[in-house]
């Protein structure tokens, strides 16, 4: 595939069914208007956390007109409002102040005896000092998955340290909510999503009031790429809303029967777009009516597979992979407490080691949702999709030259990397420890160089994932405080909130305020080159977003054209005539007789420049075929050919050439049937 114009440069044995579901989570005023020290608030609440960063945040663009700054492509600011409201303890902000925001869940008092989630995710007996403000003896911590890590002042510190894009993924899961022991609200997913969106806007207003009024704060929610650029040029933080749920639009499935319709998808997409959402996942952990998922492994995978059965009535099903990409191995590790929840006589199936791909790909409803997102210029997250689903998504995007594809936290097969970059998509790596993060960044460095793109990280804070632990004060190259920000304009010291001061060397990435410290650790371990790529992340992310907004659906010159073929399969109930491949409907198709040498010819009605042909194959596909062009239907020239076709949606790109007639000449079949095409697209470029 010819590249398009690119962008600019877990842990304890399961003790109850709870684990299987818990694991599833998971225009502003000019800067001068705020005065000389525009970055400092005029009325911060007291008491409050310290920021421990001095110096003016960088503004403007590079000499080439590019914005600068880091990108967190995957965070969950308000997951404390998800899963029934008592899974993640504490809030990102409170009108009543920090003492109200940073306090533990009531059932964690007095000693954490009922901190069931803590026990399951962090081992031991779950006991801990529940007191947050002002002592913070036991939390937040890099290995505590139950306590707030996204307090607004900690986000402010990350912004002051050079971050300029933050994607707030609105997140919840109805199954987790239904089985967790403590909750204080309903488990309806959209109710939680709406609340989290509202609170994100409330946080913007909360910060604005500190800076003198609407539009003056550093926390700016943006809904298009141009607005994001304006915000970043002013030195502020562009906040983008995303969604990560297991059953978007109510699209779960029960015994393979979808529980949603196309109308539900359109209504859901319209509502999310109106809320300001511009990126989202279509599936997450459990197979749903839209797509199959990429598996989890080991004991955790077995537990989630039990949850898959209890939620959908079916276990994961696998098959041999057809390419270099694979879903995670499920493995055979037992999860006794989870398996006890299965009905009598039902067992988790065994899986062949050489069958590592989910049989479920992108469903018809899933494809409808993908095309609906494209229509609305939204970006699609492919992390958590099965490789079969991801492959189809990339086929669709390539056929339409649509760049809006994101991998935000290391949950896609890495063999997709170049294909994502060649589309113009954006990739961020999970916030691993500096050694692992740097090693992976260097492994893909050549591809970023080739496509001239920057890099991102996905912290997944409040996302039940775990974060980098301390390398130790005796590490050969520890973070030395204070240190300078990447741009050199700010000085960053150890972060203090209340009576607690955190040091990355000994505390790890305990909360969001330590993101700048982690980046400095990456620089020390991985080198300046890795951090330079991260610093170009804002520009690359906005390149992907902007290109998605500007993409125009090309005119399909073949739609409604005259089509003839060497043959057409006869059926007394359905027509498989040639014109069915150019009628604009993906529910009809042309099918040939069952032999190799067959062709389909399309008359465009007039001579046009032709530079791209898309072929949407039914199960009967061609392994070897040619795309031929002619101006008179007599003399033909081969524009493109392949001997390795594998079905699905193929895109043939070639130098635009004048042609009135386009012929698909089949040479070898991939099945015992003939050739069958749902739709052929012919485009100028």
């Amino acid at each position: 595939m010819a590249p398009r114009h690119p962008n600019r440069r877990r842990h304890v044995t399961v003790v109850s069914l709870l684990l299987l579901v818990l694991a599833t989570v998971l225009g502003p005023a000019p800067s001068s208007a705020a005065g000389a020290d525009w970055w400092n608030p005029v009325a911060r609440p007291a008491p409050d956390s310290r920021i421990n960063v001095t110096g003016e945040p960088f503004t403007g663009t590079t000499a080439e007109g590019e914005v600068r700054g880091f990108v967190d492509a995957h965070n969950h600011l308000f997951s404390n409002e998800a899963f029934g409201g008592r899974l993640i303890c504490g809030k990102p902000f409170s009108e009543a102040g920090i003492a109200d925001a940073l306090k533990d869940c009531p059932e964690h008092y007095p000693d954490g005896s009922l901190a069931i989630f803590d026990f399951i995710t962090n081992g031991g007996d779950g006991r801990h000092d529940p007191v947050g403000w002002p002592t913070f003896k036991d939390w937040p911590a890099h290995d505590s998955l139950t306590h707030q890590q996204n307090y607004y002042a900690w986000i402010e510190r990350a912004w002051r340290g050079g971050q300029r894009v933050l994607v707030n993924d609105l997140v919840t899961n109805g199954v987790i909510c239904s089985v967790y022991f403590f909750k204080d609200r309903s488990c309806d997913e959209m109710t939680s999503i709406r609340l989290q969106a509202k609170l994100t806007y409330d946080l913007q207003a909360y910060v604005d009031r500190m800076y003198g009024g609407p539009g003056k704060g550093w926390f700016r929610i943006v809904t298009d790429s141009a607005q994001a650029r304006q915000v970043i040029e002013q030195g502020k933080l562009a906040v983008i809303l995303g969604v990560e749920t297991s059953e978007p639009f109510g699209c779960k499935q029960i015994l393979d029967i979808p529980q949603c319709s196309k109308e539900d998808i359109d209504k859901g997409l319209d509502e999310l777009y109106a809320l300001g959402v511009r990126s989202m996942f279509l599936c997450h952990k459990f197979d749903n009516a839209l797509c199959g998922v990429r598996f989890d492994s080991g004991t955790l995978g077995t537990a989630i597979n039990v949850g898959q059965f209890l939620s959908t009535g079916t276990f994961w099903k696998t098959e041999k992979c057809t390419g270099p990409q694979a879903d995670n191995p499920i493995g055979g590790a037992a999860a006794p407490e989870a398996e006890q929840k299965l009905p009598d006589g039902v067992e988790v199936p065994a899986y062949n080691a050489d069958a590592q791909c989910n049989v479920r790909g992108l469903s018809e409803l899933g494809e409808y949702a993908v095309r609906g997102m494209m229509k609305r210029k939204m970006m699609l997250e492919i992390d958590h999709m099965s490789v079969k689903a991801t492959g189809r998504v990339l086929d669709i995007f390539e056929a339409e030259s649509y760049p809006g594809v994101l991998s935000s936290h290391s949950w896609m097969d890495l063999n997709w990397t170049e294909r994502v970059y060649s589309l113009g998509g954006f990739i961020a790596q999970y916030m691993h420890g500096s050694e692992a993060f740097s090693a992976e960044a260097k492994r893909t460095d050549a591809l970023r160089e080739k496509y001239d793109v920057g890099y991102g990280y996905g912290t997944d804070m409040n996302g039940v994932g775990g974060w980098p632990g301390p390398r130790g004060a005796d590490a050969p190259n520890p973070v030395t405080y204070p240190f300078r920000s990447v741009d050199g304009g700010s000085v960053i010291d150890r972060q203090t909130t209340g009576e607690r001061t955190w040091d990355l060397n000994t505390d790890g990435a305990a909360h969001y305020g330590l993101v700048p410290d982690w980046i400095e650790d990456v620089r020390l371990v991985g080198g300046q080159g890795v951090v330079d790529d991260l610093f170009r992340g804002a520009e690359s992310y906005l390149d992907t977003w902007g290109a998605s907004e500007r993409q125009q659906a090309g005119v399909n010159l073949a739609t409604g054209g005259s089509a003839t073929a060497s043959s057409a399969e006869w059926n007394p109930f359905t027509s498989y005539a040639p014109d069915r491949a150019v009628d604009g409907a993906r529910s009809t198709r042309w099918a040939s007789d069952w032999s190799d040498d067959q062709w389909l010819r399309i008359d465009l009605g007039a001579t046009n420049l032709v530079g791209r042909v898309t072929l949407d194959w039914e199960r009967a596909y061609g392994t070897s075929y040619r795309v031929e062009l002619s101006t008179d239907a007599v003399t033909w020239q081969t524009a493109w050919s392949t001997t390795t076709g594998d079905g699905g949606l193929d895109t043939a790109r070639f130098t635009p050439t004048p042609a009135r007639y386009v012929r698909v000449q089949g040479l070898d079949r991939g099945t015992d049937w003939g050739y069958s095409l749902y739709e052929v697209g012919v485009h100028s470029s």
Side-chain angles (χ1 to χ4, degrees):
M1 178 189 62
R4 296 180 61 252
H5 297 295
N7 292 333
R8 297 259 178 213
R9 192 126 151 132
R10 264 169 212 322
H11 306 304
V12 300
T13 302
V14 177
V15 296
S16 70
L17 175 61
L18 179 62
L19 176 57
L20 68 93
V21 288
L22 293 176
T24 63
V25 175
L26 323 166
S31 59
S32 59
D37 293 344
W38 62 269
W39 58 94
N40 288 322
V42 296
R44 188 186 298 279
D48 206 354
S49 173
R50 297 175 60 185
I51 307 303
N52 303 104
V53 180
T54 58
E56 180 176 2
F58 58 86
T59 61
T61 61
T62 67
E64 294 76 27
E66 296 182 353
V67 297
R68 300 167 289 165
F70 305 119
V71 176
D72 181 357
H74 193 105
N75 193 8
H76 303 291
L77 297 189
F78 289 96
S79 61
N80 58 291
E81 303 292 349
F83 322 118
R86 299 271 277 277
L87 194 67
I88 307 296
C89 307
K91 308 172 187 177
F93 78 104
S94 171
E95 298 288 353
I98 191 170
D100 181 64
L102 296 181
K103 64 181 180 182
D104 217 336
C105 291
E107 56 273 8
H108 287 202
Y109 291 87
D111 61 358
S113 298
L114 292 180
I116 298 172
F117 190 19
D118 241 42
F119 163 66
I120 292 174
T121 59
N122 201 15
D125 58 9
R127 293 175 184 254
H128 63 275
D129 181 354
V131 177
W133 173 268
T135 56
F136 300 106
K137 179 177 182 294
D138 288 336
W139 66 270
H142 72 90
D143 55 353
S144 172
L145 311 187
T146 67
H147 296 101
Q148 183 59 241
Q149 297 173 297
N150 283 319
Y151 186 61
Y152 93 91
W154 299 338
I155 300 170
E156 180 177 351
R157 176 179 162 92
W159 159 63
R160 292 284 299 273
Q163 186 169 305
R164 291 297 179 266
V165 174
L166 186 155
V167 179
N168 178 26
D169 282 318
L170 315 176
V171 63
T172 192
N173 184 292
V175 179
I176 291 178
C177 177
S178 67
V179 302
Y180 191 52
F181 305 97
F182 305 104
K183 60 180 69 70
D184 56 21
R185 78 264 327 258
S186 92
C187 294
D188 180 72
E189 291 192 353
M190 272 309 300
T191 299
S192 180
I193 295 300
R194 295 183 191 107
L195 175 60
Q196 292 177 53
K198 174 187 179 299
L199 288 172
T200 309
Y201 287 95
D202 288 349
L203 175 54
Q204 176 177 262
Y206 181 78
V207 174
D208 278 353
R209 289 197 297 274
M210 295 184 204
Y211 285 78
K216 295 186 176 181
W218 52 269
F219 186 96
R220 313 306 314 154
I221 300 169
V222 296
T223 55
D224 62 61
S225 63
Q227 187 181 19
R229 287 187 180 279
Q230 181 186 24
V231 164
I232 297 171
E233 287 172 10
Q234 294 174 352
K236 301 183 180 184
L237 180 68
V239 179
I240 301 154
L241 299 185
V243 165
E244 183 182 35
T245 63
S246 291
E247 297 165 359
F249 327 122
C251 284
K252 71 179 300 176
Q253 62 178 9
I254 300 176
L255 296 175
D256 298 325
I257 300 174
Q259 304 298 298
C260 67
S261 64
K262 292 180 178 178
E263 291 74 19
D264 294 325
I265 292 170
D266 280 327
K267 180 180 177 181
L269 284 172
D270 286 342
E271 179 177 9
L272 291 177
Y273 193 89
L275 288 173
V277 172
R278 295 298 180 264
S279 70
M280 70 176 296
F281 295 77
L282 289 182
C283 52
H284 178 239
K285 298 300 184 183
F286 300 150
D287 295 336
N288 62 25
L290 305 176
C291 49
V293 294
R294 194 160 190 245
F295 309 129
D296 283 83
S297 301
T299 298
L300 183 59
T302 300
I304 293 176
N305 201 8
V306 171
Q308 157 94 8
F309 178 85
L310 296 175
S311 176
T312 70
T314 60
F315 290 106
W316 288 328
K317 298 176 183 178
T318 65
E319 63 186 5
K320 290 186 178 181
C321 302
T322 59
Q325 295 82 12
D327 294 316
N328 294 320
I330 299 173
E337 285 77 14
E339 294 175 78
Q340 288 175 7
K341 304 299 180 180
L342 293 171
D344 290 342
V346 177
E347 297 181 352
V348 177
Y351 295 94
N352 293 328
D354 63 345
Q356 200 176 315
C357 280
N358 194 335
V359 301
R360 299 183 189 275
L362 191 69
S363 70
E364 181 182 349
L365 284 172
E367 184 160 332
Y368 186 83
V370 168
R371 294 184 183 278
M373 291 180 68
M374 294 167 63
K375 178 181 178 181
R376 294 164 178 83
K377 308 302 182 184
M378 298 172 73
M379 294 178 286
L380 176 64
E381 293 266 11
I382 58 173
D383 284 0
H384 293 296
M385 276 188 170
S386 68
V387 297
K388 197 170 186 177
T390 301
R392 180 65 177 180
V393 165
L394 296 178
D395 285 345
I396 293 171
F397 281 13
E398 287 165 352
E400 302 293 339
S401 299
Y402 190 78
V405 57
L406 305 172
S407 173
S408 63
H409 67 329
S410 300
W411 203 256
M412 73 165 187
D413 188 292
L414 296 175
N415 287 301
W416 294 124
T417 301
E418 182 159 19
R419 201 167 169 192
V420 170
Y421 281 149
S422 67
L423 268 167
F426 182 80
I427 293 174
Q429 185 189 160
Y430 191 86
M431 188 185 182
H432 297 298
S434 55
E435 297 96 335
F437 188 95
S438 299
E440 174 55 24
K442 290 178 179 178
R443 192 191 69 81
T444 55
D445 181 67
L447 285 175
R448 290 195 299 280
E449 183 73 21
K450 176 179 178 179
Y451 291 96
D452 193 21
V453 293
Y455 203 35
Y457 49 83
T459 64
D460 200 19
M461 293 257 175
N462 287 2
V464 197
W467 297 274
R471 288 200 296 123
D474 57 349
N477 50 350
V479 173
T480 302
Y481 294 92
F483 59 89
R484 286 201 169 269
S485 59
V486 173
D487 65 294
S490 296
V491 176
I492 303 169
D493 209 340
R494 292 176 179 84
Q495 199 282 318
T496 297
T497 303
E499 300 169 10
R500 176 79 184 269
T501 296
W502 282 271
D503 183 320
L504 187 85
N505 301 300
T506 54
D507 296 313
H511 62 67
Y512 208 81
L514 294 169
V515 167
D517 313 52
W518 171 78
I519 292 173
E520 172 68 2
D521 202 40
V522 169
R523 185 187 70 81
L524 294 168
V525 170
Q528 187 64 41
V530 176
V531 176
D532 287 345
D533 277 3
L534 289 172
F535 202 58
R536 298 186 65 218
E539 176 64 29
S540 287
Y541 186 96
L542 297 188
D543 276 346
T544 294
W545 191 6
S548 303
E549 293 168 327
R550 294 188 297 271
Q551 190 268 353
Q552 297 294 323
V555 175
N556 184 354
L557 302 170
T559 300
S562 173
T564 56
S566 55
S567 64
E569 180 183 338
W570 181 84
N571 186 295
F573 306 105
T574 303
S575 170
Y576 296 125
D579 61 0
R580 292 299 183 99
V582 292
D583 62 2
R586 292 183 176 84
S587 57
T588 62
R589 60 188 175 94
W590 163 70
S592 76
D593 286 345
W594 296 7
S595 60
D596 286 326
D597 192 16
Q598 302 286 338
W599 52 264
L600 173 72
R601 187 179 73 189
I602 303 166
D603 181 355
L604 304 179
T607 298
N608 293 268
L609 278 179
V610 176
R612 176 166 54 98
V613 173
T614 60
L615 306 171
D616 195 354
W617 295 99
E618 194 252 354
R619 287 179 297 170
Y621 64 94
T623 55
S624 179
Y625 63 92
R626 301 190 298 259
V627 174
E628 302 173 330
L629 305 178
S630 176
T631 56
D632 57 10
V634 175
T635 302
W636 296 87
Q637 61 175 328
T638 298
W640 187 90
S641 65
T642 185
T643 59
T644 58
D646 58 359
L649 180 55
D650 290 342
T651 299
R653 298 180 186 274
F654 42 85
T655 302
T657 304
R660 173 172 173 168
Y661 302 92
V662 177
R663 185 166 69 186
V664 181
Q665 178 67 59
L667 303 174
D668 290 307
R669 295 166 293 155
T671 69
D672 291 335
W673 303 306
Y675 301 92
S676 185
L677 287 161
Y678 286 116
E679 201 71 16
V680 177
V682 178
H683 305 270
S684 294
S685 61

